[in-house]
Amino acid sequence: METVIGIKFNDFTLIATDMTAAHSIMVMKDDEDKTYNITDNVVMGVTGEAGDVPRFAEYITQNVKLYRMRNGYDLSIPAIATFTRKTVAEHLRSQSPYQVNFMLGGYNPTEKKSHLYFIDYLGAQVDVPYGAHGYGGMMAITVMDRYYKPDANYQEAYDLLKKCILEVQKRCIINMPKFKVKISYAGGIQELPIISKDNIEQNIIVNVKD
């Protein structure tokens, strides 16, 4: 009953997650943050079991920080993706597997290159231009297939994300009224305006700090 969407462009990467925390047929809260900043340039959107998601995200975040403390520099974005995939795969073969699916992305200002990885609870990892997890992902993928442009600017990318979320809210029987959006670009990670049912058809201007 969750959705996470990731889109990679030439100069930045967008990650969006729904903000609904549900248990069985009940909505517990509608302001849940399912995005996690792994480094200053890497962000991860996670869906899965309520207990596994924060535990897994915290484990990855703290291990990446530990690597930086020991070595004096950050892991590269592909290395972080490989480490997270390896962690999922190893726990899958234990008595405590992580039931998590996530999109991991970021922008490397040194290489001037953006990255996006689709990783699921079975440890499958794919480098993709765009992707999604959850029921809403089935609707979002078709929209991105039609409108995706790798050279889009910030405003065009945000509007594409709005198209995806509008389709999810229109077609999916599950209520997902709000989505948190984060961008990773040369200036770091910035949170963009929340996309909700109340503002999705309004013209929202995106201001990204230099």
Side-chain angles (χ1 to χ4, degrees):
M1 295 193 295
E2 300 172 291
T3 299
V4 56
I5 302 169
I7 316 176
K8 176 177 71 175
F9 299 92
N10 291 344
D11 300 320
F12 58 95
T13 300
L14 286 179
I15 299 287
T17 62
D18 75 283
M19 300 178 69
T20 302
H23 178 70
S24 184
I25 62 171
M26 295 180 62
V27 174
M28 310 304 291
K29 58 188 297 191
D30 63 356
D31 58 355
E32 180 77 3
D33 187 358
K34 302 174 186 177
T35 62
Y36 298 86
N37 296 352
I38 307 301
T39 68
D40 294 338
N41 290 93
V42 180
V43 61
M44 180 168 67
V46 194
T47 66
E49 293 294 330
D52 286 351
V53 168
R55 190 161 61 97
F56 174 78
E58 189 71 14
Y59 177 83
I60 297 299
T61 302
Q62 297 306 321
N63 272 275
V64 171
K65 286 181 180 178
L66 179 61
Y67 183 92
R68 180 172 55 195
M69 290 170 61
R70 286 176 170 173
N71 298 279
Y73 58 90
D74 277 321
L75 282 166
S76 67
I77 301 174
I80 293 173
T82 301
F83 172 66
T84 56
R85 188 214 71 80
K86 180 173 178 287
T87 300
V88 172
E90 286 177 346
H91 281 78
L92 183 66
R93 292 157 178 81
S94 72
Q95 294 184 351
S96 56
Y98 287 117
Q99 295 295 322
V100 293
N101 298 294
F102 52 97
M103 301 297 301
L104 185 148
Y107 180 80
N108 188 327
T110 305
E111 298 177 347
K112 296 184 179 179
K113 182 180 179 182
S114 53
H115 299 266
L116 181 67
Y117 295 92
F118 174 103
I119 306 174
D120 68 9
Y121 74 102
L122 295 174
Q125 173 187 324
V126 187
D127 186 348
V128 294
Y130 53 84
H133 285 290
Y135 289 117
M138 301 174 189
M139 296 82 173
I141 285 290
T142 60
V143 177
M144 292 186 281
D145 283 341
R146 173 66 179 84
Y147 294 106
Y148 173 73
K149 295 189 303 179
D151 59 346
N153 58 36
Y154 299 134
Q155 189 65 54
E156 291 170 339
Y158 188 79
D159 290 343
L160 171 58
L161 201 51
K162 284 173 62 179
K163 282 188 175 76
C164 295
I165 293 169
L166 180 63
E167 197 66 19
V168 170
Q169 292 176 343
K170 179 181 178 182
R171 302 289 182 187
C172 195
I173 194 171
I174 302 165
N175 183 35
M176 286 179 270
K178 293 197 293 186
F179 280 76
K180 181 178 282 287
V181 184
K182 285 187 178 179
I183 181 172
S184 173
Y185 67 114
I189 295 172
Q190 181 180 329
E191 190 172 320
L192 299 183
I194 289 173
I195 299 174
S196 68
K197 283 186 174 181
D198 297 329
N199 68 11
I200 195 165
E201 297 195 25
Q202 298 174 7
N203 184 25
I204 303 172
I205 304 300
V206 175
N207 293 313
V208 178
K209 300 175 183 176
D210 295 329

